[in-house]
Amino acid sequence: MGKKNKSKRYVVGVDLGATKIFTVVITKKGKIKAKARVKTPAQEGVAAVVGKMVRSVRRAVEKAEISPSQVLAVGVTVPGPINPKKGIVFRAPNLKDWQNVPLGTMLEAELDYPIVLENDVNAGTYGEFALGAARGKRDVVGIFPGTGVGGGIVVGGKLHSGFRYSAAEVGHMIIHANGEICGCGNRGCVEAYASRTAIERDIRAAITQGRPSVITDLIDLENDRITSGVLKKAVKAEDEVVTEVLKKAQYYLGLHVATIVNFFDPEIIVFGGGMIEALGKSFLKPIRQTARAHFTNRLEAKRVKIVPAKLGDYSVALGVAMLARRAVK
Amino acid sequence: MGKKNKSKRYVVGVDLGATKIFTVVITKKGKIKAKARVKTPAQEGVAAVVGKMVRSVRRAVEKAEISPSQVLAVGVTVPGPINPKKGIVFRAPNLKDWQNVPLGTMLEAELDYPIVLENDVNAGTYGEFALGAARGKRDVVGIFPGTGVGGGIVVGGKLHSGFRYSAAEVGHMIIHANGEICGCGNRGCVEAYASRTAIERDIRAAITQGRPSVITDLIDLENDRITSGVLKKAVKAEDEVVTEVLKKAQYYLGLHVATIVNFFDPEIIVFGGGMIEALGKSFLKPIRQTARAHFTNRLEAKRVKIVPAKLGDYSVALGVAMLARRAVK
């Protein structure tokens, strides 16, 4: 291909999720050269999943029409707690048998590239910092409301993983002492108010209480989940129950942003994830208002940007690819 | 003195408070060579206060028995919001006429040293990092409950001032949405539960409700404040009301620490200030327990240290002296 002698310049990012594996090959400047999306064989055990990740990397490199020797490193994210230094995945609740998996070593043996492991939401935030909505900023916080509420922190242009690699658990900041029960077992976490799970809980409670809602027309309440797509339709239909429940979540997210800003004073807060994408930019407006009204430093409140993510589905894969580049440089 | 030709090696730290001015001269290694404490002429306007700061620096240098030319820089803290880069004090609520004071320029004109300006609690946290309880750690959060609840953040060995120089307003992290009213006008801030002011409010409320308390013997409730010293005496006397009110504050401080740890995952949290000093080490025990029970990453909970400050009254002056040294290096 005439490129064999060119120096290594590409990196690969792999976002292992509970349902899909996203893979990207990116150039030095962060442009996507190739991408791939395959299903995660979540129920087939560790070897099956790792095998599929390896094939996904190889296929993406082929699709990019580059020589495998031009790849500098591979970044990988997993849906669970990890030790990035040791390349170990402690557990991944949605993947069968994933406990204390030495993923770094396993992938390195198969792929012969340096492997960089990171938490998924951390990588997503880093992606938005490096290539997306927070490009050019130095101090960034990402908030990703979904089944839970995940997050990421960039300080001075570097990902802040924390002393025990457990920073940015933004969903478990306590916003209402002794409040709603959270999935973590404690009470009053942000996640218990502003995750899609909490929103679904409140909508179901209102319907159970007999309040009319378009939700009952849109899905079979007994068998279906209230997905982000369903929420979107209900908002479009100006459903009273859904609007009210979302308003509560927005209020809590506003207080959450204020708490983060009063502590950390970042330049920008990026909201990402499927729910934010489905509900659109207008979802952030009341969050912004509540947040700014609760800033301690209110004079320059508008200098702190509160914006939607830009990279969509590939933010995590892109972010971890950029982290891999940075790590091996 | 035979020292004239030695290179500049000392720095001075000045902690301008509402009641006192603390000044230290420290060696390269952070040892105190001389210290001074004078009253702040808080009601006499800007010129009087600045004049007293200048004299305090000169006297401390004399007491240190060094030549003025051996001083590398002077660090200064003030009790109010500032722009450290521009050397401006926006306001200092407890000092008469302090509004938009170009303190950096004023002191430089008189003293002919580079002046480094910082927020007081930020400097106190940095002092504990550089010379006190958090020495050798990289990521540190300081919490100082007093009239309000102030704080400081060190990330990777550097003070984190924030994008708008308003980071570490830890007292205004919201811990109980729609809860108690805070001095800032919002509801549910940590400060509204765990400051000495909040503690005093709750003790007074209990006494007004007719509950017996040793506090009524210790002070004249109409004219005196419930100071940290009074709290200490009441705890020693095992006063039921005071113990109960402090328990509530400790519970909220525990949730507060957990919120900070789940967000930031620092190595160490340092509690400082007069109230913590008066109440002693045992005050932190229940805070530690509540905090760790609310960590998202609980397996390694004990690796995150939660400790009392070590530097006492001079922590702020020492911290800003160390910041000055770092800034001019």
Side-chain angles (χ1 to χ4, degrees):
Chain A
M1 321 260 313
K3 283 190 178 172
K4 271 179 215 162
N5 296 323
K6 272 216 176 165
S7 61
K8 292 183 180 187
R9 51 192 297 205
Y10 298 93
V11 283
V12 178
V14 184
D15 166 15
L16 168 61
T19 56
K20 283 174 208 124
I21 301 170
F22 289 95
T23 305
V24 291
V25 179
I26 64 171
T27 67
K28 203 170 181 178
K29 287 190 171 169
K31 286 246 187 278
I32 296 179
K33 187 88 178 158
K35 53 187 180 179
R37 173 199 305 231
V38 292
K39 276 198 179 161
T40 308
Q43 294 309 310
E44 296 171 27
V46 176
V49 173
V50 174
K52 200 139 186 190
M53 291 170 83
V54 168
R55 288 194 297 282
S56 171
V57 170
R58 288 193 181 130
R59 194 159 314 152
V61 171
E62 266 174 43
K63 273 173 84 176
E65 298 188 339
I66 58 171
S67 152
S69 68
Q70 285 177 281
V71 174
L72 199 62
V74 176
V76 178
T77 67
V78 292
I82 56 168
N83 182 321
K85 262 209 174 128
K86 295 186 180 165
I88 289 173
V89 180
F90 293 125
R91 58 186 187 279
N94 295 314
L95 302 176
K96 200 185 162 205
D97 295 337
W98 277 64
Q99 251 151 7
N100 298 315
V101 175
L103 184 61
T105 319
M106 290 173 81
L107 289 173
E108 258 160 19
E110 289 283 336
L111 288 168
D112 208 25
Y113 298 125
I115 303 293
V116 171
L117 188 64
E118 193 43 74
N119 166 286
D120 53 2
V121 204
N122 282 359
T125 301
Y126 193 81
E128 292 294 335
F129 155 73
L131 303 167
R135 204 167 183 160
K137 308 292 185 185
R138 301 286 296 163
D139 293 351
V140 182
V141 175
I143 302 177
F144 291 72
T147 309
V149 178
I153 305 171
V154 172
V155 190
K158 284 187 191 163
L159 185 69
H160 179 76
S161 300
F163 172 56
R164 300 170 301 156
Y165 308 110
S166 55
E169 289 282 1
V170 299
H172 302 288
M173 298 173 79
I174 294 156
I175 198 87
H176 193 136
N178 306 315
E180 296 278 5
I181 283 192
C182 181
C184 74
N186 283 320
R187 284 181 176 275
C189 299
V190 168
E191 190 164 300
Y193 290 91
S195 60
R196 205 196 39 72
T197 315
I199 289 166
E200 174 154 6
R201 175 200 65 207
D202 287 354
I203 293 173
R204 284 179 183 273
I207 292 171
T208 303
Q209 279 166 30
R211 291 188 57 187
S213 167
V214 71
I215 293 283
T216 53
D217 304 330
L218 292 170
I219 61 165
D220 170 8
L221 268 181
E222 276 191 32
N223 297 305
D224 300 335
R225 307 241 70 179
I226 303 175
T227 61
S228 300
V230 172
L231 289 176
K232 186 184 177 175
K233 282 179 195 161
V235 169
K236 214 174 169 185
E238 295 179 17
D239 184 74
E240 206 179 273
V241 166
V242 171
T243 308
E244 191 181 298
V245 169
L246 287 178
K247 206 172 160 184
K248 182 179 157 195
Q250 287 165 317
Y251 176 71
Y252 276 92
L253 285 172
L255 298 185
H256 186 213
V257 168
T259 292
I260 289 172
V261 168
N262 292 342
F263 178 70
F264 200 61
D265 196 22
E267 279 181 86
I268 186 165
I269 306 259
V270 180
F271 273 94
M275 190 171 87
I276 299 292
E277 227 167 288
L279 296 173
K281 273 188 182 181
S282 62
F283 184 73
L284 294 189
K285 212 175 165 184
I287 296 175
R288 227 176 258 128
Q289 281 170 344
T290 303
R292 287 180 178 149
H294 289 82
F295 285 2
T296 304
N297 180 353
R298 270 171 239 181
L299 285 173
E300 303 180 288
K302 289 195 175 168
R303 288 182 64 204
V304 180
K305 300 301 170 197
I306 301 164
V307 303
K310 271 190 181 165
L311 302 179
D313 284 352
Y314 286 88
S315 69
V316 174
L318 283 166
V320 83
M322 292 301 279
L323 281 166
R325 182 181 294 284
R326 182 157 191 159
V328 296
K329 238 191 233 171
Chain B
M1 321 259 313
K3 280 189 181 174
K4 270 179 216 161
N5 296 323
K6 274 217 176 163
S7 61
K8 292 181 179 188
R9 51 191 297 200
Y10 298 93
V11 282
V12 178
V14 184
D15 166 16
L16 168 63
T19 55
K20 283 174 207 125
I21 301 171
F22 289 96
T23 304
V24 290
V25 179
I26 64 171
T27 67
K28 203 170 181 177
K29 288 190 172 170
K31 286 244 185 283
I32 295 179
K33 186 87 178 161
K35 52 187 180 179
R37 174 199 303 231
V38 293
K39 277 199 180 161
T40 307
Q43 294 309 311
E44 295 171 27
V46 176
V49 173
V50 174
K52 200 138 186 191
M53 291 170 83
V54 168
R55 285 194 299 281
S56 169
V57 170
R58 288 191 181 131
R59 193 158 315 150
V61 171
E62 265 173 42
K63 271 173 85 176
E65 297 188 341
I66 58 171
S67 150
S69 68
Q70 284 178 280
V71 174
L72 200 60
V74 177
V76 178
T77 66
V78 292
I82 55 167
N83 182 322
K85 260 207 176 133
K86 295 186 180 164
I88 289 173
V89 180
F90 293 126
R91 57 185 188 279
N94 295 314
L95 302 176
K96 199 185 163 203
D97 294 337
W98 277 64
Q99 251 150 9
N100 298 314
V101 175
L103 183 62
T105 319
M106 289 173 82
L107 288 173
E108 260 161 19
E110 289 284 335
L111 288 167
D112 208 23
Y113 298 126
I115 302 294
V116 172
L117 188 64
E118 193 44 76
N119 164 287
D120 52 4
V121 204
N122 282 358
T125 301
Y126 193 82
E128 292 294 335
F129 155 74
L131 303 168
R135 204 164 182 162
K137 308 292 185 186
R138 300 287 294 164
D139 293 350
V140 182
V141 175
I143 302 177
F144 292 72
T147 309
V149 178
I153 304 171
V154 171
V155 190
K158 283 186 192 165
L159 185 69
H160 179 77
S161 301
F163 173 55
R164 300 171 300 156
Y165 308 109
S166 55
E169 289 283 1
V170 300
H172 302 287
M173 297 172 80
I174 295 156
I175 199 85
H176 193 136
N178 305 315
E180 296 277 5
I181 283 191
C182 181
C184 74
N186 283 320
R187 283 181 177 275
C189 300
V190 168
E191 191 164 298
Y193 290 90
S195 60
R196 205 195 41 71
T197 316
I199 289 166
E200 173 154 7
R201 175 202 63 208
D202 287 354
I203 292 172
R204 284 180 183 271
I207 293 171
T208 304
Q209 278 165 30
R211 293 188 56 188
S213 167
V214 71
I215 293 283
T216 51
D217 303 329
L218 293 170
I219 61 165
D220 169 7
L221 268 182
E222 275 190 36
N223 296 306
D224 300 336
R225 309 241 69 182
I226 304 177
T227 61
S228 300
V230 172
L231 290 176
K232 185 183 176 174
K233 282 181 195 161
V235 169
K236 214 173 169 185
E238 294 179 19
D239 185 73
E240 204 179 275
V241 165
V242 171
T243 307
E244 189 182 300
V245 168
L246 287 178
K247 206 172 161 185
K248 181 179 159 196
Q250 286 165 318
Y251 176 71
Y252 275 92
L253 285 172
L255 298 183
H256 186 214
V257 168
T259 292
I260 289 172
V261 168
N262 292 342
F263 179 70
F264 200 61
D265 195 23
E267 282 181 84
I268 188 166
I269 307 259
V270 179
F271 273 94
M275 191 171 85
I276 299 291
E277 228 168 285
L279 297 173
K281 272 187 182 181
S282 62
F283 184 72
L284 294 190
K285 213 175 164 183
I287 296 175
R288 228 177 256 129
Q289 282 170 344
T290 303
R292 288 182 178 148
H294 289 81
F295 284 2
T296 304
N297 180 354
R298 268 170 240 183
L299 286 173
E300 303 180 288
K302 289 194 174 168
R303 287 182 64 204
V304 180
K305 300 300 170 199
I306 301 164
V307 302
K310 272 188 181 165
L311 302 179
D313 283 354
Y314 284 88
S315 71
V316 173
L318 282 166
V320 83
M322 292 301 280
L323 281 166
R325 182 182 293 284
R326 183 158 189 156
V328 296
K329 238 191 230 169

